[in-house]
Amino acid sequence: MDTFNHFIGICQDALFESVIQPVLYQLGLASVAEDAYDATLWLIAGILQIAVLVCVIGPLQRWRPVEAITDRRAVRVDILYTIIHRLGLFRVALFFAIDPFWDSIFGELHVWGLSTLQLDNLWPGVTDHPLVSLAIYLVIFDLVEYFYHRAQHNFEWMWALHAVHHSQRQMTMWSDNRNHLLDDVLHDVVIVIVSQLIGVPPAQFVAVVAILQLVESVSHANLRIGFGRLGERLIVSPRFHREHHAIAYEATPTGKVVGSNYAVIFPVWDILFRTARFDGRFGPTGIADQLPEAGGRDYGDTFLAQQWLGIKRLCRIRRRRRAA
């Protein structure tokens, strides 16, 4: 672990000094060099993730696909989402727009003497070991992801945005990042607050996010694979998560059609909170009202259309509530 961290540190220094820093100086942005150095770590993590997508998960999809890809345009849109998120473009925007706000908030708390919890110091000699602390952070963040994801399906205004993600009718390894940008901002606010409260070091935070994203890429892949009776209950598989994206005609009171398999990494949360379904059969994905017999609702074919329609759905909910 230490050797890997050292290698990543060398790559971060080299990329920043040879590429990022000269560009900043040319643009007169030397004042943001510190934030840009942190952002370089996200860029490296994204490059490594895309390499895994292309070199590992891609061949697996071609080996055992669930279905033939017929809508290449939709997949290209998902690739654009992935580039925006995995190569740090979205993260850089947060650095300049939101992160300074949270840094000032938690800075003030420290000035007032209100310190945050440092989980890796709970059991000196054990929890401060990099692999142990990483495992602890993964469990905590996966639980947070479970409840956030469940909220996206149980609050109508959150579903209005999250529907962008579920509108993909042909899921692939690129579909994980197909989200409304406002939804991503809200999600990242929650994750940043939790990371600050439990004292996650920056490098560990990047590692946790990268692992979560890679597991989600696998679980969204066009891959006809399950992990067996035991494995399916330990790690989220493509079969387990595809059931979450399955089209159904039965709608919940808020108009949603999905009510199971919310976990990102560990299905234990779905088992504990009674939302697990292990009988998935690699059926069609999407949202029920996209089907012609259900009205053929349009969720957008392009990045901009999907973003705009998400805002329109949100505004309609607000107007309806005000009228009521």
Side-chain angles (χ1 to χ4, degrees):
M1 187 73 176
D2 290 338
T3 303
F4 179 75
N5 288 337
H6 180 65
F7 171 74
I8 294 297
I10 293 175
C11 293
Q12 184 180 9
D13 291 339
L15 181 59
F16 179 74
E17 292 173 2
S18 62
V19 179
I20 307 298
Q21 192 175 51
V23 171
L24 290 177
Y25 286 149
Q26 286 292 328
L27 297 175
L29 298 174
S31 60
V32 300
E34 184 176 348
D35 286 338
Y37 180 77
D38 293 335
T40 305
L41 187 57
W42 289 102
L43 176 59
I44 292 172
I47 292 172
L48 292 175
Q49 288 181 79
I50 290 178
V52 173
L53 286 170
V54 173
C55 299
V56 179
I57 306 176
L60 287 175
Q61 285 190 143
R62 292 189 290 274
W63 170 55
R64 293 200 65 183
V66 173
E67 58 185 340
I69 299 299
T70 57
D71 190 352
R72 298 286 177 182
R73 181 183 182 187
V75 175
R76 287 195 293 269
V77 172
D78 287 355
I79 293 173
L80 174 60
Y81 277 105
T82 302
I83 291 173
I84 290 173
H85 285 80
R86 301 295 175 92
L87 293 186
L89 301 179
F90 183 73
R91 190 72 236 175
V92 168
L94 292 184
F95 265 124
F96 293 107
I98 297 177
D99 283 9
F101 170 74
W102 292 115
D103 289 342
S104 64
I105 292 293
F106 284 101
E108 286 296 324
L109 292 178
H110 291 148
V111 170
W112 295 341
L114 300 175
S115 60
T116 55
L117 179 65
Q118 300 295 315
L119 278 185
D120 56 355
N121 291 332
L122 288 180
W123 189 355
V126 178
T127 56
D128 54 0
H129 188 281
L131 288 178
V132 174
S133 60
L134 179 63
I136 293 173
Y137 296 142
L138 281 173
V139 171
I140 292 174
F141 279 106
D142 196 51
L143 179 59
V144 172
E145 292 281 3
Y146 171 86
F147 281 116
Y148 187 86
H149 193 185
R150 191 165 174 174
Q152 288 175 309
H153 288 268
N154 286 278
F155 290 95
E156 191 177 13
W157 68 270
M158 294 183 75
W159 172 253
L161 300 175
H162 187 55
V164 171
H165 180 68
H166 277 268
S167 64
Q168 174 57 282
R169 299 293 307 279
Q170 293 205 298
M171 283 171 51
T172 69
M173 62 184 184
W174 305 105
S175 300
D176 167 36
N177 290 123
R178 182 190 180 111
N179 298 304
H180 198 281
L181 294 182
L182 179 55
D183 193 12
D184 281 325
V185 169
L186 297 173
H187 170 268
D188 275 26
V189 165
V190 173
I191 296 302
V192 167
I193 291 175
V194 172
S195 69
Q196 291 279 356
L197 290 176
I198 63 177
V200 184
Q204 288 276 52
F205 182 58
V206 174
V208 168
V209 172
I211 292 171
L212 287 167
Q213 289 178 333
L214 274 178
V215 172
E216 287 185 292
S217 294
V218 174
S219 65
H220 286 82
N222 180 28
L223 186 57
R224 189 178 291 275
I225 283 182
F227 294 160
R229 182 174 177 81
L230 177 60
E232 292 266 307
R233 287 157 175 78
L234 297 177
I235 301 292
V236 170
S237 71
R239 186 172 80 112
F240 183 84
H241 193 67
R242 190 176 180 91
E243 181 64 23
H244 174 75
H245 279 263
I247 282 186
Y249 286 96
E250 302 81 10
T252 64
T254 52
K256 298 173 293 299
V257 296
V258 181
S260 62
N261 300 9
Y262 297 108
V264 173
I265 299 181
F266 306 119
V268 64
W269 310 124
D270 283 297
I271 296 171
L272 287 175
F273 298 110
R274 301 178 182 276
T275 54
R277 287 191 61 179
F278 294 99
D279 56 349
R281 301 182 182 278
F282 298 102
T285 61
I287 306 173
D289 61 10
Q290 289 177 290
L291 299 174
E293 55 268 35
R297 187 173 190 175
D298 179 25
Y299 286 89
D301 294 328
T302 66
F303 174 85
L304 291 178
Q306 290 162 10
Q307 299 299 305
W308 173 240
L309 289 173
I311 295 295
K312 287 181 68 175
R313 289 191 298 273
L314 199 59
C315 291
R316 278 197 294 269
I317 292 171
R318 185 171 182 270
R319 285 197 300 268
R320 188 177 72 245
R321 290 182 177 178
R322 289 180 65 183

